[in-house]
Amino acid sequence: GQASLTPISTDALQAGDKPVATNLASYTQTANIVLYLDYASPKTAKFATANNAEIEQWLAAGYITLEIHPVSTSTTATNDYSKRAANALACVANSDSSHFLAVSDALLAAASTKKETTMSTAALQALVTKAGVTSTDVTSCISGYRYASWVTAATQRATHGGLLNANRKSLTTVPLFVVDKKVYTGKLTDNAALTTFISD
């Protein structure tokens, strides 16, 4: 049958407020996965190719919770796609959270495993729409780059001692895969090893 996935909303933060880590004590019957993803990174694309379908099967079965943090570690003066992709996800999370996972999946499916992905803002908007988002608020948010400063701040926090629910202080590589606060340090494309890590 069709699984029903439920986004868990949290209160918005005011500018300058520090994020509050999810209280994992509320989720004792699941493996609680936290992912930090840069959607332009070929490493993220390779990770998704190897593991995404199975992770979502576990999610649909109720075995795991999934928390995704989009970051823009690969943004440069010549390619700011990772920042625009993270902004797009923030727009969806804020205005149409039920489609967040579908949009994340669409971004991962469109990503290159060989080089850093790039995409125009118009193409990014089209991808989001194809993933099921019909909200004009999301469209204007993406084109207006509404959460660009948030993406910059969130990436800065993650890379400078502000990781949440992880036994590591800073993000040094993407993707970062964490289960119940423990960072996975194995090969990210080794699905068998990743599955064992989650099971353990």
Side-chain angles (χ1 to χ4, degrees), residues 13-196:
L13 296 174
Q14 298 303 310
D17 284 355
K18 290 185 177 181
V20 178
T22 301
N23 181 7
L24 297 182
S26 304
Y27 306 103
T28 57
Q29 301 302 310
T30 50
N32 304 295
I33 295 175
V34 178
L35 278 174
Y36 286 81
L37 302 177
D38 182 321
Y39 289 81
S41 167
K43 290 182 180 178
T44 295
K46 289 176 182 177
F47 168 81
T49 299
N51 303 296
N52 204 47
E54 195 159 15
I55 288 171
E56 292 192 8
Q57 287 174 6
W58 299 329
L59 182 63
Y63 299 151
I64 67 170
T65 62
L66 181 62
E67 181 174 313
I68 297 174
H69 295 261
V71 291
S72 62
T73 55
S74 65
T75 289
T76 64
T78 56
N79 184 12
D80 67 347
Y81 171 70
S82 69
K83 190 173 184 178
R84 288 184 291 111
N87 172 75
L89 282 164
C91 294
V92 175
N94 188 64
S95 299
D96 191 356
S97 60
S98 64
H99 282 97
F100 181 90
L101 191 59
V103 172
S104 175
D105 286 347
L107 291 172
L108 292 171
S112 171
T113 59
K114 297 181 179 179
K115 60 182 181 179
E116 287 190 356
T117 302
T118 188
M119 188 185 302
S120 70
T121 298
L124 183 56
Q125 286 178 313
L127 182 149
V128 170
T129 300
K130 190 174 181 180
V133 176
T134 58
S135 168
T136 55
D137 286 343
V138 172
T139 304
S140 61
C141 177
I142 293 172
S143 62
Y145 222 1
R146 186 179 302 167
Y147 293 108
S149 60
W150 173 83
V151 173
T152 299
T155 303
Q156 177 76 5
R157 280 194 299 269
T159 55
H160 290 77
L163 284 185
L164 301 176
N165 280 335
N167 62 346
R168 180 180 296 177
K169 290 184 177 181
S170 298
L171 178 70
T172 56
T173 186
V174 287
L176 185 72
F177 187 93
V178 188
V179 181
D180 291 332
K181 300 185 180 181
K182 296 178 182 177
V183 173
Y184 174 70
T185 57
K187 189 176 180 181
L188 287 163
T189 54
D190 187 341
N191 180 257
L194 194 74
T195 300
T196 299

